[in-house]
Amino acid sequence: GSVVINRNEVCTNQGCLSCIPKDDISSLFFYYIMSVSQKYFDMLGTGTTFNEISANVFKNVHLPVPPLSEQQSIAFYLDVKTEKIDKMIAKAEKKIEYLDELKQSLITRAVIRGLNPNAPLKDSGMKWIGEIPEHWKIMPFKYYGKLCKGLTFSKADLTATGVPVISYGQIHSKENKSVRFFEEGIRFIPKELAKNGDSALVKQGDFIFADTSEDLEGCGNCVYNDTTNPIYAGYHTIIYKTRERDCKYLAYLFRSNVWRSQIRCRVSGIKVYSITQGIMSQVNILLPPMSEQKEISTYLDTKCSKIDHIIATQKKKIAYLQELKQSLITNVVTGKIKVS
């Protein structure tokens, strides 16, 4: 049921249905009435792995069609009204983009330079870091923890109850903040699939990394278990079992683009990027003393929480505006709101 109105001459493939309005139909009116009919089209779709609407089914769809002059009036009215709403949505999206950049900047500054602006610095000898506080250490990733593979099973093995697991799909979820336990990402598998899978058990202080990503940005995405709840790493995952139980600082370090640049420059792939244990074992981590690690993670918890609250408010605003836009279009194209 997704629809766009074409502004240029293009070719479409077999996954599209091209609709060419007749002379007594306004293209813009047709677009608006189609854009609010998605649920209806979804009901008409058939298929197993995905829904599909055939041309024959589509041809028999009935839609309300007023006279051409009314269609044109409706289209003009909606153009004006929806443009205002779209501008408000774009403004909110721009604000979210700025807040995300601000949060990334705060995280990067704190995990690379610490909280003391007067701390003596030294050259790290590594391009991705630059200068770091004199008393901080650089350590190979593999020396601070152990790398393991997640359980082997398929999506079809998931059940309503059983052994809790987190797989790569949940790790890449936008709801995953990477610095606290991602409870919403938990899925379940039968107990027998976890038999003899102790190496895939993730305890407090451990991380679960996705071993594939559809884009460079997602390379390095992980889940941090900051609770005492043990959970299994699922399919397409790499486990990082750390020395300490409190690794919140590392969780923030792993979120920074400067740290992830070590992974991004080593991955390869066409449709997806592969993140192997070999790649992970080549990267380095930056380690302040444990007392500073805790100060940094507490500071970032407070700062990021405030930013996340503002972002959540803007997302609610966008959702409201999108609903308002859909409601407006529906009421106008079905004649519930009179357009002069």
Side-chain angles (χ1 to χ4, degrees), residues 18-34:
S18 302
C19 309
I20 305 169
K22 294 182 178 179
D23 292 339
D24 59 345
I25 298 293
S26 161
S27 290
L28 271 175
F29 172 81
F30 191 58
Y31 163 73
Y32 279 121
I33 198 166
M34 293 276 286

Side-chain angles (χ1 to χ4, degrees), residues 275-332:
I275 304 110
T276 64
Q277 288 189 39
I279 288 173
M280 297 301 291
S281 66
Q282 293 178 61
V283 304
N284 293 287
I285 56 174
L286 191 57
L287 284 176
M290 184 54 72
S291 58
E292 272 192 72
Q293 290 185 37
K294 290 180 179 179
E295 286 175 7
I296 290 169
S297 60
T298 300
Y299 167 81
L300 289 174
D301 278 349
T302 303
K303 292 290 186 181
C304 292
S305 178
K306 290 178 181 177
I307 294 173
D308 286 339
H309 177 73
I310 302 171
I311 289 174
T313 302
Q314 292 301 310
K315 285 182 177 179
K316 284 181 181 177
K317 182 179 180 180
I318 290 171
Y320 166 75
L321 289 168
Q322 288 172 335
E323 287 179 13
L324 177 65
K325 180 180 174 180
Q326 287 292 97
S327 177
L328 173 68
I329 295 171
T330 301
N331 288 329
V332 171

Side-chain angles (χ1 to χ4, degrees), residues 50 83 87 144 156 188 335:
F50 60 90
E83 185 182 8
K87 282 182 179 178
Y144 193 76
F188 299 94

